[in-house]
Amino acid sequence: MTAWLWLHLPHFAAAAARLQANLSPEAPLLVAEGGRVRDCSAEPEARGVGPGLTLREAHTRCPGAYVALWDPLYARELWERLAGHLRSLSPELEARPWDALALSTLPKPDEALPAVQQALGRARALQVPVQAGWSAGRFTASAAAQEADVGQACLVAPGGEATFLAPLPLGRLPLSAEVLQELRVLGLRTMGDFARLPSAGVGIRLGSQGLRAWRLARGEERPLPPATAPEQPPLEQRAAFDPPLEWDGALLQALQRALARLGAGLEARGLTCREVGLLVGGEGGRTWRTACRPSEPAGNAAGLAALASPLLAQLATPGGERVAELRLWAREAARRQGEQMALFAAASAAKGWLQSVLEVAARYPDCFWQGRRLDPCARLARQRAVWQPWTDPDKR
Amino acid sequence: MAQHRLTTLEQTVAAVSLRYGPAALTKATCAPLRRPALPTGLPALDGALAGGGLPRGRISELIGPLSAGATTLAARIVAGAQRLGEGVAYLDLAGAADADGLARCGVDLQRLPVIRPHHSRQALEIALTLVARQGLGLLVLDAVGDLWQAPADGRWAAAALRRLLGRLRRSSCAFLALHHGRAEKLCYPPGFSLQAHAWLRLELQQVRWLRRMGDVWGCEAEVLVVQQRNGREGQRVRINIDFGGMI
C-alpha cells in the first residue's frame, strides 16, 4: 500500500528561462519558439497571453514583457536537477517532462507529510513553481495538485477521495471529447454527477473507457482483484463414516453420493473417465479395492452414480466388519472431444446454410424476404408483422 | 507398437481436420444422427408416418381445402424443423404468406427466408439452387397449383420438377408441397405426375372448429395418409390445429 505525491509544474519553461536569463521573479516573461509563445509567466497569462499565440499579438497584449528563446538543453538540465533531488525522497519516481512529477510515499498522511514538505522545499530552492497534491490514488493526487496554490500542497485523506473529486469539472477525467459532449448533453457537469450514475448503464453506453473513468470519479483507483475460477470438486472423493456403516443400503447411498460428486467434478472440467477405482476401508483396518469400467466414457453425475451397484457387487462381502472409510478416484480421464466436435459441426452447418441463402439471395435480389415482428397485440395484421428484404443475419 | 499406431492415427486425424475443417472427420459414436425423416412436431401424426416424419430426399404432399388448416399445419412443421436446427425455406408463390400467422405458429422469422419469385420458372430455379447447396432441411412449396398458368409453363415446370426430384434424392432435404383444394380437383403440371413421384401424400379434412368462450382458437382435423411408399396407407389421425390466436 502506497500513496502518491503529485507535483504539478505550471510554467516550467518560463521558470527555466527566468533562471537562465537571471530575471527577477516579478518580471513579465514570454518564452518563444518558432515565432510563437511556448510559455509565459503569470502576469502575461492574466492579460490573455497563452501558448500558441504569435509574438506580435503577445506583445500587443503585454507590451513590457521580456522575451526569452526556448532552450531545451537548459530546461532538461534543470528538470534533471529537480528530479535528482526528489529521487532521494522516494525510490519510485515517475516523470512527465515539463508538466509533472509523481513519487510514491508512505500511505498515511502524517507519515507522508515530511516528504511533501521536503519536495516543496527543494522545488522552492530551485525557484521552480510547483503545486503539490497527495492522495492514496494517482488520479486524485493529480487533481489535488491542480487545485492547490503555487508552492502549497493539497492533501486528500484516505476515504475522502470521492468527496474531494465530486465538485471538480468532468473535463478532468480521461474521456474523449465525444464522450464528454455526450455527458454534457445529458446534463452532467461534475465528477459527482458522473459518479452517481449506475455502473451498468455507464458500461452499456460508454464501454470500458467510461467504466474506468467512472471508477476514477468515485475515487476507486485500486486495481480490481483478479477473477478467481470457481472451485471445482476434486477428481478423488473420500468419505469417512463414524459410526461405521453396515454393508447395506446406507453404504450404497453413500457410494452413489460420492460417485455423483466425482461425476460433477468431471463435468465441471469437461472430462470423461474410462475407469473408476474404489477403495473401502473396514473398521478393523482391512481394505478392499476394486475398479469398474463403464461401457462408454462417463462424465456426469448420473452416469457415474449408476456404477455404484456394480462396484459394490464386485467386492467380496466381508464377514462382520463394518465400513469406516470410502475412497473413489477417476482414471483415464480425457477431454470430451466428441461433443465439442458435434456442436462445432452443427454450428458450422447452420452458418453454412445461412451463407448459402445469402448467396442465392444475392442472385435473386428482390425475391427473398424475411418477416419482422412489430407489435403482437396490434389490431391490424400489418401492424403486427411486416415483410422486409432478406439481409445477412450477422449484420442485423 | 499399438501405441505407435495410435499416435500415427491421431496425427493423421489432426492433419485432416486442419486441412478440411473439424466437420470432415467425426467419430462414429459422436456424429450427429441424421434421421431419415423430419419430425412434423405432432406426435400423433409422426406415429402414423414411417420413420416418424416427412421423408428426407423425397416429395411429400399436403392436400387440404381452403381454411382446413393446411397452411397452419405447414407453419407448425416449419417451426418444429427450426427448433431442431434445420435450415428451412418457404416458397410463397402466391405471395399470400402471413408473417404474423407464421410467428404465432412459433416460426423464427429471422431464420426463415420466404421466397416470392416473379414467375414460376424463377421459383423452380431458386428451389433447384437451394436444394443443390446442401444444408437445407425443409423446403415448403405453397402451392403447387400456382406453378404454372399456361401450358408452356406447365411443360417447363414438369422438366424442372424432374430435375428437382433428382437433386432431392442426393440431399437430405424434405420437400413439402401444399395443395389448396379438394383431392379430386387437383391440378398438376402436364407431363409430370407429381402424385406418382410423391413419397408421401397427406389429405387434410376439417372436422370441426374448436371454440373457447365462444371464440375459435383452432380446428380439429383428420389427416388421411393417402399414399406412403414405405409405410402403411389409409391411416386416419385426428389432430388439433391451434391457430395461435390468428382468428
Side-chain angles (χ1 to χ4, degrees):
Chain A
M1 289 276 290
T2 56
W4 289 90
L5 170 62
W6 193 276
L7 297 174
H8 180 52
L9 306 169
H11 308 303
F12 178 79
R18 190 184 300 280
L19 276 176
Q20 193 177 12
N22 200 16
L23 291 175
S24 67
E26 294 81 25
L29 174 68
L30 299 175
V31 181
E33 185 185 19
R36 289 184 179 271
V37 175
R38 181 191 169 89
D39 198 3
C40 62
S41 58
E43 189 185 337
E45 190 181 28
R47 295 189 182 195
V49 179
L53 203 68
T54 59
L55 275 179
R56 182 189 296 272
E57 182 66 23
H59 263 298
T60 311
R61 294 186 185 182
C62 187
Y66 180 86
V67 178
L69 287 177
W70 167 242
D71 186 355
L73 291 176
Y74 186 82
R76 170 68 64 186
E77 187 187 337
L78 181 65
W79 182 270
E80 287 300 330
R81 278 166 61 196
L82 178 62
H85 284 314
L86 295 175
R87 204 166 278 127
S88 63
L89 298 176
S90 167
E92 197 175 357
L93 180 80
E94 284 183 18
R96 294 188 179 183
W98 326 135
D99 184 34
L101 283 157
L103 56 155
S104 62
T105 65
L106 292 172
K108 291 183 180 172
D110 49 346
E111 292 170 345
L113 197 56
V116 175
Q117 288 169 344
Q118 284 185 42
L120 284 174
R122 288 176 189 184
R124 202 176 298 122
L126 289 173
Q127 298 182 25
V128 176
V130 68
Q131 296 165 250
W134 181 91
S135 172
R138 200 182 308 207
F139 174 74
T140 313
S142 76
Q146 290 180 22
E147 289 300 302
D149 293 331
V150 175
Q152 301 293 321
C154 174
L155 278 69
V156 181
E161 289 90 350
T163 315
F164 171 76
L165 292 170
L168 298 184
L170 210 53
R172 297 265 181 91
L173 286 170
L175 288 168
S176 63
E178 292 82 14
V179 173
L180 281 173
Q181 179 60 27
E182 190 181 342
L183 292 176
R184 279 192 199 103
V185 168
L186 290 172
L188 305 174
R189 296 286 182 273
T190 63
M191 290 195 210
D193 298 340
F194 186 50
R196 276 192 289 275
L197 296 178
S199 65
V202 172
I204 289 167
R205 280 189 90 113
L206 307 178
S208 59
Q209 181 203 14
L211 269 180
R212 186 173 168 271
W214 180 80
R215 289 190 68 229
L216 288 178
R218 292 166 63 90
E220 297 169 4
E221 293 185 58
R222 300 270 174 218
L224 291 172
T228 52
E231 196 175 339
Q232 295 174 342
L235 289 182
E236 187 182 305
Q237 290 291 328
R238 287 170 184 270
F241 309 114
D242 187 17
L245 296 180
E246 296 289 347
W247 289 77
D248 56 6
L251 178 63
L252 183 67
Q253 281 188 6
L255 185 58
Q256 280 174 341
R257 277 200 299 274
L259 279 165
R261 282 199 298 273
L262 189 66
L266 286 168
E267 197 169 13
R269 291 174 170 84
L271 298 173
T272 57
C273 74
R274 288 188 173 277
E275 188 178 302
V276 176
L278 169 67
L279 187 140
V280 177
E283 58 182 339
R286 202 175 149 199
T287 58
W288 298 269
R289 182 188 286 259
T290 186
C292 179
R293 291 181 76 88
S295 56
E296 57 185 30
N300 55 29
L304 281 180
L307 299 176
S309 298
L311 273 169
L312 275 187
Q314 286 177 23
L315 289 175
T317 309
E321 194 166 350
R322 293 183 298 173
V323 177
E325 187 194 0
L326 201 68
R327 193 179 143 216
L328 275 168
W329 61 92
R331 276 191 192 148
E332 297 182 36
R335 180 71 45 193
R336 263 201 309 250
Q337 223 168 13
E339 284 181 22
Q340 290 175 4
M341 293 275 281
L343 282 173
F344 193 87
S348 60
K351 198 172 173 75
W353 150 241
L354 286 172
Q355 189 62 33
S356 304
V357 171
L358 208 62
E359 286 167 16
V360 181
R363 202 184 305 168
Y364 303 95
D366 46 355
C367 294
F368 278 71
W369 298 82
Q370 70 182 36
R372 187 160 69 90
R373 206 78 201 269
L374 299 175
D375 178 12
C377 304
R379 195 168 60 85
L380 298 174
R382 65 170 180 272
Q383 293 169 344
R384 293 196 288 263
V386 291
W387 293 110
Q388 61 185 29
W390 178 264
T391 50
D392 187 352
D394 290 340
K395 293 178 183 170
R396 283 173 204 163
Chain B
M1 188 63 190
Q3 185 61 37
H4 173 69
R5 280 184 185 169
L6 200 62
T7 310
T8 312
L9 179 64
E10 282 175 354
Q11 285 172 350
T12 311
V13 168
V16 170
S17 298
L18 196 66
R19 184 165 180 182
Y20 300 104
L25 275 179
T26 313
K27 283 183 183 174
T29 53
C30 308
L33 291 173
R34 197 75 174 183
R35 294 179 59 175
L38 182 72
T40 61
L42 298 161
L45 185 56
D46 285 343
L49 302 178
L54 303 179
R56 290 181 191 270
R58 309 289 177 185
I59 292 177
S60 304
E61 281 187 280
L62 178 61
I63 305 155
L66 288 171
S67 81
T71 310
T72 311
L73 180 58
R76 297 275 175 197
I77 294 172
V78 167
Q82 283 187 331
R83 276 196 293 274
L84 293 173
E86 299 283 351
V88 186
Y90 197 97
L91 262 170
D92 179 23
L93 297 187
D98 176 19
D100 180 48
L102 287 169
R104 283 171 189 270
C105 289
V107 174
D108 180 1
L109 294 175
Q110 298 286 307
R111 283 173 52 221
L112 178 72
V114 173
I115 302 143
R116 289 177 162 172
H118 299 297
H119 45 83
S120 55
R121 289 194 179 200
Q122 203 177 42
L124 287 167
E125 279 173 15
I126 293 172
L128 281 166
T129 316
L130 284 175
V131 171
R133 289 284 173 138
Q134 303 286 331
L136 183 62
L138 173 66
L139 179 62
V140 180
L141 175 65
D142 185 11
V144 178
D146 297 320
L147 265 181
W148 71 95
Q149 279 79 38
D153 285 346
R155 281 192 292 279
W156 193 91
L161 281 170
R162 264 186 225 103
R163 281 163 55 207
L164 181 65
L165 199 63
R167 289 195 185 179
L168 270 175
R169 282 180 189 148
R170 290 192 294 274
S171 76
S172 60
C173 172
F175 185 86
L176 179 65
L178 298 187
H179 282 284
H180 297 303
R182 300 207 170 271
E184 58 271 17
K185 292 183 180 174
L186 292 183
C187 188
Y188 289 107
F192 182 82
S193 68
L194 189 66
Q195 69 271 41
H197 290 95
W199 202 260
L200 175 71
R201 295 186 82 208
L202 302 173
E203 200 179 312
L204 195 69
Q205 283 289 343
Q206 186 187 322
V207 178
R208 64 184 177 97
W209 294 109
L210 297 172
R211 296 173 192 275
R212 186 185 297 134
M213 307 283 287
D215 293 332
V216 174
W217 62 271
C219 69
E220 186 182 345
E222 191 177 69
V223 183
L224 171 64
V225 183
V226 181
Q227 180 176 316
Q228 187 170 206
R229 292 282 183 88
N230 57 343
R232 201 153 59 89
E233 295 174 357
Q235 298 176 82
R236 290 178 185 273
V237 180
R238 288 269 176 121
I239 55 170
N240 288 345
I241 300 175
D242 181 4
F243 293 141
M246 273 189 289
I247 297 177

